[in-house]
Amino acid sequence: MIELSLSYWNKLADQTIFISALLGGFSLAVIVSLLNSQTESRVSTAMIRSATIAAASFLIAIFAMTKIMMMTTPGFPSEVTADSLTMPRILGMLTFVSGITSLIVVVSLAGWTKSKRIGRFTTTVGIITFVLIVMMLV
């Protein structure tokens, strides 16, 4: 397996923080919007739960990647090894992917609040989006 340089991890963490912050903010906006609506259906409840998981996942990813970014910045006071990055790296990437997946679930469920036809469309778009994102992450 190829060992990635600390500068690469620093840039990767920086980009992941930026994306997570944007998507986490979007997830929080969706939560607030859904909580303000008067709809009490199963689909709305599932959307709120999924948006909450997305927001929480992105927050965890932000802090895990911030730790990586700080540890890989020149001048960090302790010695950094590949082993010291393992836990924040795994946690950061798992929660980042979990947040993306949860956000795709929100998109997929959104149409079902209107009609079956729109629900099928949004679900199809969500599945295609998930497949393409997985292809780009691998």
Side-chain angles (χ1 to χ4, degrees):
M1 189 162 117
I2 297 174
E3 182 87 17
L4 299 176
S5 70
L6 294 181
S7 64
Y8 180 83
W9 277 112
N10 188 284
K11 287 292 185 186
L12 180 64
D14 185 45
Q15 290 300 309
T16 305
I17 290 166
F18 179 71
I19 294 167
S20 295
L22 288 174
L23 294 177
F26 176 75
S27 300
L28 287 171
V30 169
I31 293 168
V32 169
S33 175
L34 290 171
L35 289 174
N36 284 334
S37 73
Q38 301 301 321
T39 312
E40 301 253 347
S41 67
R42 285 179 41 195
V43 173
S44 295
T45 301
M47 287 174 62
I48 290 171
R49 288 179 179 163
S50 187
T52 302
I53 291 169
S57 295
F58 287 129
L59 283 172
I60 295 167
I62 288 169
F63 284 98
M65 289 300 168
T66 298
K67 181 172 183 170
I68 290 174
M69 192 170 74
M70 294 306 296
M71 292 174 74
T72 58
T73 298
F76 187 72
S78 302
E79 182 181 345
V80 179
T81 63
D83 289 338
S84 62
L85 296 176
T86 301
M87 183 61 177
R89 186 184 73 206
I90 291 171
L91 187 61
M93 292 313 292
L94 284 177
T95 56
F96 180 70
V97 172
S98 172
I100 290 172
T101 305
S102 297
L103 207 50
I104 291 171
V105 169
V106 172
V107 170
S108 299
L109 291 174
W112 293 100
T113 61
K114 293 291 179 190
S115 69
K116 281 187 179 182
R117 184 172 170 215
I118 296 174
R120 286 186 198 113
F121 174 76
T122 57
T123 300
T124 302
V125 169
I127 291 169
I128 292 169
T129 301
F130 180 76
V131 168
L132 293 175
I133 288 174
V134 168
M135 287 172 50
M136 294 302 113
L137 289 176
V138 175

